[in-house]
Amino acid sequence: MSTTMTAHTSPTIQAFSEGRKPLAEMRDISIAFGGIKAVDHASLELYEGEVVALLGHNGAGKSTLIKILSGAYQRDNGEIFINGEKATIDNPRDAKRYGIETIYQTLALADNVDAAANLFLGRELRTKWGTLDDVAMEAATREVMGRLNPNFRRFKEPVKKLSGGQRQSVAIARAIHFNANILIMDEPTAALGPQETQQVADLTLELKKQGIGIFLISHDIHDVFDLADRVAVMKNGRIVGTARVGDVTKDEVLGMIILGKCPPGAIPGPGALAS
Amino acid sequence: MASGTDKSAEPAMVQESAFQRFLRATELDTRLLGMVGALVLIWIGFHLAGIWRTGNGIFLSPRNLWILLVQTSSIAVMTTGMVMIIVMRHIDLSVGSLLGVIAVIMGYAQVYVLGPWLGVGHPAIWILTVLIGLGAGALLGAFHGYLIAYAGIPSFIVTLGGLIVWRGAAWAVIRGETVAPMDERFELLGGGPFYASIGATASWVLGVIICVVIVLAIRSGRQSRQKFNFPLRPIWAENFLGVVGCLLTLGTVWLVNSYYFPPKLANDYAEANNIPIPEGGLMIPHGFAIPVLIAAAAGIIMTFVAVRTRFGRYIYAIGGNPEAAELAGINTKRITLLMFSIMGVLAAVSACISSARLNAASNALGQFDELYVIAATVIGGTSLAGGVGTIYGAILGALVMQSLQSGMTLLNFDSAYKDMAVGSVLVFAVWLDQLYRRRTN
Ligand SMILES: Nc1ncnc2c1ncn2[C@@H]1O[C@H](COP(=O)(O)OP(=O)(O)O)[C@@H](O)[C@H]1O
Ligand SMILES: [Mg+2]
C-alpha cells in the first residue's frame, strides 16, 4: 500500500537515473552465516557520480552486503551487475578488475609492513628485472599521502606504529590510487578527528565530481546526510528502504534505522515494517 | 652530495644521544647489533675458558672457526626457509625427517642406481643425485603445503605427521642400513675431505667481488633515492656501512685462508699434484669450504626473495594480517604451498651437505634438526606470532647455537649438559627478546 503512495509523491529511482544504467547493481543478495541471515534478499544500485549512504545499526548487515560486492564474501543467492552486465565476483581480485575499491571497516592493513607496501599490496610496482620497485612505490605513496595527509612523514615505519587517523589515511590512499569506478567506504571516519573527517568529506565530493560512484557506510546518519545523494537503510539484514536525500528528513531516516518504518518519501524494501 | 645530510633530518627528535643518532643515520637494527655482540661475547668467553682450563685457548683459532662455519652450514640453510614459514604464521616440524629421507634417497640413488648404471666415479653422478634430492624436496614440501593450504589442516599437525612419517620412510628405503661411501664429487658438498674448499686465491677473488657488490648496492640505493628527492642517509653513514661490510668480508676471507692443510695432507696433496715441497713444509690455505658457500648462497638468495620479490612481500603481509592479504587479492593458498615446497628444497640442500659430510646416508641423519632449526630461527629474532623475522638474524642464531655446542665440546662437557645449556639459552634468548620488544614498542 505504501508502495503506490510512494510512486505518486516522490521521484522514483528511475526518475533519478533518467534511463542511465547503474554502475553497480546488486539484485536479491542473500548470505547466511550458520543460520544467521546476515543479508536477506537485499537489492541496491549505484549510479555514476552518486554517493549512496548505507545506514543501519551495528549488526544490520551493511559490511556484509558490501563485502559481497568487493569479493570478500561469496553470496548464497542473488546477482551482481556492473555497467548493466552480469558480473562474476568470486574473490577480491575479481572485484578490483571491475574497478571496485574498498576501504574496509577494519582497514585491512598488514600491520608489520610500511605504508607503501600496504598501498600497493597485491599490485606492487616492479623494476624491469621483475623485482619490487620500492623507491617508485614510496614516491607514489608520498604523492597520494601528500594529498590526504600532508603532515605524514612516517613512510619507513610499519603501519602498526601509526596513529588511528594515519592508518585510516593509508587505507583511503590505497582505495583511491588505482582509479576506481566504484568506491566502497565502510565507516571511513570512525578513527578520525573532526578536521580529518572534513578532509574525507571533501575528498568524497571531489571523487564524486570525477564520476566515481561511492557507497558510504555509516551507523551514524549525521556523518553522511549532507554528503549523500541517496540513503539506503538496512535492518536485520534487510533493506528497509531507499530514498533521495531531498525526499526525506533526518528524523524520517532515523525512524527507518530504529523502527524499520518507511516514510512516504522512500521506496520501501523487503525490510520495511508492514503498515 | 653534501645536501644529503640536511635532507636526512626528518622528524627532529629532542635530545638524542650520539649512539641513537648513529643508529638512526645508519638504519642499523639494534637487535642485529645485540646478536652480534652476544656472539662475540660467547666466542671470547669460550676462548678465555679454554685458556683457563687447558692453558691455551683454541676457540678463536682459524681452525676452530673454520670448522664452526662448516658445522653451522646445514642448519643455517634450513633456517633461511624456516624464518619465512614462521613469519607466515606456520611451522615446519618435519625438516629433520625430510632431510633424513632425502639423504637416504640420494644415497640409494648414487650407490645402487647411478653408480652401477653410469659406472662408479662418473662425473654426472653427483649432479643427478643433487637434482633427484632437490626434486624430492620440492615434491614432499609441496605435498605438505597442499595439505595445509588446500585441505586446511594446520601446519603443526601436517608437519608433525611428516616428522614421524618421513623418518619411518627413511628407514624403509634402505631397511635401516647405512649407505656408503658417497660419490667422490658429491662428498665435496659436505666440506668433508680437506680439498672441499676453494683455496686462497678464489677466496680472495670472491671476497673482493662481494666488496664491490656491497659498494655498488649502497651507491645505487642512494642514487635511486636521490632521483626521487627522498631523504638520504648522511654520507658518513653510507661510508661507514660500506667500510664495515667490506672489512667483515675481507676479514672472513683472511680467517678461512689462515687455516692451512695439516702437514701430512699437504704433503700428500703436493705429491699428487707434483708440487715441490719447500723447506718448513707446504702451507696450503683452505679458503672457504664448499658447504659454507652453499649456506651463504642460500642466505643471499632467500634474503633476495624475502625483500625484493612479490612472493617475499606477500609472505610478510600474510604474517602481518592474513585477512588483509586475502582482501588485497593475494592468493594466499598458492603462496603457502610454494613456501612449503621451498622449505623442502632447502631441506634437500641440507641433506646434501649432511650426507656428504658424513660420507654416508643413514635413516638417523637429521634427527632433532627441526628443533635446532626452529630454535636458531627464534633466537635470531623471528616471532612465533608471525610477521616479524629476518634471514640474517636466523643465520646468526644458528651460529650462536653451534658456537655454544662447539665451545662446550672443546671444554669436554658431556653431551647431556650441552643439551641442557642449549635448551636454556633458547628460553633465555626469547625472554631477552621480549624484554627488548616491550621496551622499544
Ligand atoms: N564472517 C562472519 N561470520 C559469522 N557471522 C558474521 C560474519 N560477518 C558478519 N556476521 C554477522 O552478520 C551480521 C551483520 O554484520 P555486519 O555486516 O558486520 O553488520 P554492520 O556492518 O551493519 O554493523 C551480524 O550479526 C554479524 O555477527
Ligand atoms: Mg560494519
Side-chain angles (χ1 to χ4, degrees), chain B residues 264-332:
Chain B
K264 190 179 158 328
L265 257 153
N267 290 347
D268 289 353
Y269 180 82
E271 260 167 45
N273 292 283
N274 284 324
I275 304 169
I277 300 172
E279 218 151 293
L282 193 61
M283 302 292 269
I284 308 175
H286 279 84
F288 284 111
I290 289 170
V292 174
L293 293 178
I294 295 174
I300 291 169
I301 292 170
M302 291 301 287
T303 301
F304 177 85
V305 169
V307 302
R308 297 250 50 91
T309 68
R310 280 189 175 182
F311 175 76
R313 172 75 34 101
Y314 294 166
I315 297 252
Y316 279 84
I318 291 170
N321 186 345
E323 196 200 348
E326 191 77 51
L327 292 175
I330 295 170
N331 191 339
T332 55

Side-chain angles (χ1 to χ4, degrees), chain A residues 57-64 66 105 186-187 217 219:
Chain A
H57 278 315
N58 278 329
K62 310 180 294 294
S63 295
T64 307
I66 60 90
Q105 188 168 7
D186 195 351
E187 317 234 0
I217 293 152
H219 64 272

